[in-house]
Structure formats: C-alpha cells, structure tokens
Amino acid sequence: MSFSFGFSQADFSDDELDSTPVTSKPQNTSTSEAPVEIPPKIHSLSSILKTLLNVRITFDNYKTANGNIVYRRELFDVKHQCMTEDTEGEASEINKILLGSGEELDLEKNVYEGGFKLWECSYDLVDDVAKKSELLFNRKSVLELGCGSALPSCFILMKWLEQKKSEKTLLLGDFNYEVLRLVTVPNLIVHWASTLDPQELADLQNPDIPMRNDEVEVTPQLSEAFIAALEKQKIEIHCISGSWGPSFADLVKPFKTDLILSSETIYSLDTLPIFIKLLLDIMNGNSCLALVAAKSYYFGVGGSLQEFTQRLPSPLAHETQNVPNSLLKRAIVQITT
C-alpha cells in the first residue's frame, strides 16, 4: 500500500469556512433557565480506541491562513460509521441528529453542543498556538474545553511528537462522548499518523485492503503503535464528557493544567457564567494561561466577545487580539492570573 501525506494545494478545501451564524432548534433563550447538568466523566484513550478498531477513517486536510496544516475526519465518514452501528442512549440521540432530516443543525440545547461542526475560530487558534510555539509547546498539561474536532490540541500533539517532547498531558473535554469518540480521537490518530514514515504507516494497515491517500484504518496494530508512541514519550491523553461546573473542575485539577484552549464556546448567555467560573476555578492559584477564540458576535444566541470580557472577574486579566482579514470579526482573548 502506498500512503503519503503529500497533498498539493489543490487538495485543500475551505468550504467549511463560511459566515453562517450559529443556528439551533427554537428554544427558550431566557438566561434564567439553568442548563441541564450531565455528570462529567473521564474516558481513557484506550477505551475509546477499542470502539474504533477496524474502522476506516476518511479525512481531509486544511492549510490555515498562516500556512499550518491540520487534518480532520470527514463528516460523511462519521455519518457512515453511525449508520453501521447499533446504538442506544446518547449515541442514539446523536445519530438522530447526524442522520436526521438533512437540515443543518449547529446546536440542540442540553443534547448536542456543536462538536461535529468545524468552526472558523479553531483554525485561528491553531495559528495562534503555532505563533506562540516557544511558550506553548513547553506547557506540561493542556486542556481544551468544548474541543469538538480538537484541531488546536491535535496540532500541539503533532508538534510534541515531532519535537520529541516528553512528560505531557492532554485533556480533551466535550459535552458529548460521541463527539470525543467519533471525531476527537480519530483526529488525534490522523495527526499522529502524519508524523510517521509512509512505509511505517503502511505496515500498520491491513495488507488485504487497498487504502486511498486520504484514509487510515484503525487496525489493532495501528492502535497499539499509537499507544506505544505516546507511552514512549510519556504523553497522557484523557477525554472528558459532560457538563462544565464544579464536578468538571474537580476532575481536571489533579492534572495541574497550565494551558487552556477553547474556541467558539462563549456563544450562549446561559452558559457564559458557567464557563467563566470554570476558568476561574482551574486557573486561580496556578501559573496557567488560557486562549479563547471567538467571533465578536453570535447572532441569534446572544453571546459576544464584549459580554465575555466584561464579565471576567479579578484575578483574571485579559488581552484581546483581533484576527486580521476575517469575514466575520473574530479575536483571540489571552487570559492570565
């Protein structure tokens, strides 16, 4: 099998980078309505990999505005996997959303928080992380809140592997476990695979199944090699599903997070106080830096950068940097204690 990540510029697509505002099912937008709390839970990487064995991942790749290449699993591929699985519980609800009427749905309150959609600010955050590489790649414990496709974390993992960084921890939090299983972890796999010699990667694939240039099969051999590569560099990866809040903070605190990443997570006035309180709980008393990427306004759901920064309490200090040449005004807020 021939496998290579040598894509030409013609292979890159920016069809998902549009100016579509956040949309969701009609709902009560009153800020007095408390969000439903789903108890947070930590999932080991190995447990999620077991659910992906023998799954073929089809991925696309994108070059950011600053020339950084990232990879992500195609949405049609996620839908195909959902159609082949017998599901129940949350997985069944997610399947209904993914395989429903065909109408695009960004959010469904207390059920699905947009983790399958690729949001523009994720690419902004990749570029910001790359620009601050000397500062950020040396961080020991990285947490991405509302990670979804987790492109910023995937980019950091890829650099850790390339630069032989060791004794690192990566925490990936999303409201939906199915997002972590179907998108987050597959994207981590593809970014790790991009660091391998093509022949080494080919040897980890099933020799009886021809593979295209945009595919990786999660064979038992590939899964074992992924875990072994992380263990060799003493890199831990943990996924956390469920709601933000004190219980989420309690799960995170033992990992001594010193870098928090988050993109497109301040869109809702309902959850904004919860998000800010979570930042304060994790960062207060620690030498921690947070980078929050967002649009200036989220039409239809009430959130805005101004609303977010005005509510940041002491001892959180912030600096806002606008993203140049963006169709919709976007920025990255750097928060320190």
Side-chain angles (χ1 to χ4, degrees):
M1 181 192 72
S2 174
F3 196 97
S4 169
F5 279 76
F7 295 95
S8 68
Q9 183 62 35
D11 293 310
F12 296 114
S13 170
D14 61 355
D15 57 347
E16 290 175 296
L17 292 181
D18 56 40
S19 58
T20 306
V22 174
T23 58
S24 62
K25 286 185 177 180
Q27 56 187 257
N28 182 357
T29 58
S30 171
T31 56
S32 62
E33 180 185 348
V36 173
E37 182 172 351
I38 305 299
K41 180 179 179 181
I42 293 182
H43 310 272
S44 68
L45 179 64
S46 59
S47 69
I48 295 179
L49 284 173
K50 288 177 182 178
T51 74
L52 298 171
L53 285 180
N54 302 315
V55 170
R56 185 184 299 192
I57 298 170
T58 302
F59 59 89
D60 197 1
N61 46 89
Y62 181 77
K63 184 178 289 186
T64 68
N66 288 358
N68 297 297
I69 297 176
V70 286
Y71 309 93
R72 72 272 205 266
R73 189 179 189 183
E74 292 274 33
L75 184 58
F76 77 81
D77 195 47
V78 177
K79 292 182 179 182
H80 179 266
Q81 182 176 344
C82 289
M83 286 189 289
T84 63
E85 295 181 337
D86 294 326
T87 59
E88 58 184 19
E90 182 203 351
S92 178
E93 290 297 314
I94 295 299
N95 280 7
K96 289 177 184 177
I97 291 172
L98 284 174
L99 307 174
S101 64
E103 297 178 0
E104 184 176 15
L105 178 64
D106 293 345
L107 307 166
E108 185 172 340
K109 190 173 183 179
N110 299 323
V111 176
Y112 166 65
E113 293 294 333
F116 290 116
K117 184 178 175 69
L118 266 168
W119 303 90
E120 297 93 324
C121 292
S122 295
Y123 299 113
D124 298 337
L125 198 49
V126 168
D127 281 343
D128 198 58
V129 165
K131 185 171 60 177
K132 298 181 172 76
S133 60
E134 290 187 8
L135 171 66
L136 302 186
F137 294 158
N138 289 323
R139 298 278 166 161
K140 291 289 187 180
S141 182
V142 178
L143 165 66
E144 184 168 355
L145 294 171
C147 65
S149 295
L151 296 187
S153 292
C154 288
F155 185 76
I156 284 180
L157 175 65
M158 184 170 63
K159 295 303 177 182
W160 282 350
L161 293 166
E162 290 175 348
Q163 299 174 14
K164 308 300 181 185
K165 301 288 186 179
S166 61
E167 298 183 357
K168 303 290 189 180
T169 300
L170 189 59
L171 304 173
L172 299 154
D174 195 277
F175 183 79
N176 299 109
Y177 168 74
E178 287 300 294
V179 168
L180 295 168
R181 184 176 78 91
L182 297 172
V183 175
T184 306
V185 171
N187 285 350
L188 291 171
I189 293 171
V190 173
H191 281 78
W192 160 72
S194 74
T195 69
L196 301 181
D197 178 84
Q199 186 56 53
E200 181 182 359
L201 182 55
D203 291 342
L204 297 173
Q205 301 293 276
N206 188 333
D208 298 324
I209 300 178
M211 300 294 291
R212 298 192 320 232
N213 199 40
D214 60 350
E215 293 179 331
V216 172
E217 183 179 357
V218 187
T219 62
Q221 297 91 337
L222 183 136
S223 178
E224 291 171 5
F226 183 35
I227 294 293
L230 297 175
E231 289 178 346
K232 182 179 180 180
Q233 291 184 215
K234 298 181 181 180
I235 297 174
E236 294 183 17
I237 297 178
H238 304 279
C239 297
I240 308 175
S241 65
S243 302
W244 296 330
S247 296
F248 190 102
D250 289 342
L251 287 180
V252 169
K253 285 177 182 178
F255 295 100
K256 299 180 180 179
T257 299
D258 55 6
L259 174 62
I260 298 173
L261 305 173
S262 197
S263 59
E264 310 273 19
T265 47
I266 65 165
Y267 56 83
S268 170
L269 292 178
D270 289 344
T271 58
L272 193 56
I274 300 171
F275 179 65
I276 292 174
K277 179 64 165 57
L278 181 61
L279 288 179
L280 187 61
D281 286 347
I282 296 173
M283 297 180 68
N284 196 16
N286 296 327
S287 179
C288 185
L289 169 69
L291 298 174
V292 178
K295 299 183 181 73
S296 292
Y297 299 99
Y298 288 90
F299 300 101
V301 284
S304 70
L305 268 173
Q306 184 178 22
E307 189 79 32
F308 171 60
T309 55
Q310 286 181 344
R311 294 192 187 195
L312 288 174
S314 177
L316 300 182
H318 73 276
E319 179 182 341
T320 301
Q321 180 178 353
N322 291 326
V323 175
N325 304 317
S326 56
L327 185 60
L328 287 178
K329 189 176 181 182
R330 307 195 301 269
I332 294 175
V333 182
Q334 180 171 303
I335 304 169
T336 54
T337 53

